Amino acid sequence: MYQLDFEQMVMSREKGQLKFNHLIQATILDLIDRGNLRLTRDENGETLTCLHHKGLADFELKFIEMIFNQKTEIRISEVFSKYKINQAALKKISELLKQTHNETVFERSEVMFDPF
């Protein structure tokens, strides 16, 4: 791995923005490479295990805390489980914000439109 050029390691040739999930994946891979985390696979899926916290910066410790949620081993499907978005609640909030925005725009247009 250390002898490879970055271009040789890239799995996808997609062009575009670097996204948040790419940064998360890169951080997890870095922590695996440094020996802080271990990724294993069995018939039930992938498991991420926190082996130790040695040599970690404060933000990395917080990152691990967010991933594992007080555990030392977690299924990949459960990563960030404390921070999952409730899609129904998000949709409801989005609709409320749209209504509020429309009302605010309407109120502003009445105030701004003064023919006299």
Side-chain angles (χ1 to χ4, degrees), residues 1-11 13 18 26:
M1 177 175 189
Y2 296 106
Q3 305 298 326
L4 296 176
D5 185 298
F6 182 75
E7 288 295 319
Q8 293 173 301
M9 294 173 38
V10 175
M11 305 270 299
R13 297 289 179 205
L18 182 64

Side-chain angles (χ1 to χ4, degrees), residues 34-107:
R34 290 165 44 197
N36 298 92
L37 303 180
R38 178 179 57 218
L39 180 66
T40 54
R41 182 178 296 160
D42 62 21
E43 63 277 353
N44 297 319
E46 294 85 16
T47 301
L48 197 59
T49 305
C50 183
L51 302 173
H52 62 81
H53 295 101
K54 296 176 192 162
L56 295 178
D58 289 342
F59 78 92
E60 292 169 320
L61 290 168
K62 191 64 173 171
F63 181 77
I64 285 177
E65 180 184 311
M66 292 172 70
I67 288 176
F68 288 94
N69 192 26
Q70 308 293 325
K71 299 176 185 175
T72 57
E73 189 172 281
I74 192 165
R75 293 271 177 210
I76 289 292
S77 61
E78 298 171 347
V79 168
F80 296 111
S81 60
K82 185 177 178 180
Y83 303 94
K84 297 283 182 189
I85 294 175
N86 180 327
Q87 293 298 326
L90 182 62
K91 184 177 180 182
K92 191 177 223 179
I93 290 169
S94 178
E95 289 170 1
L96 286 171
L97 287 172
K98 284 179 187 176
Q99 289 173 357
T100 304
H101 176 71
N102 289 339
E103 290 169 6
T104 305
V105 169
F106 180 71
E107 289 170 6

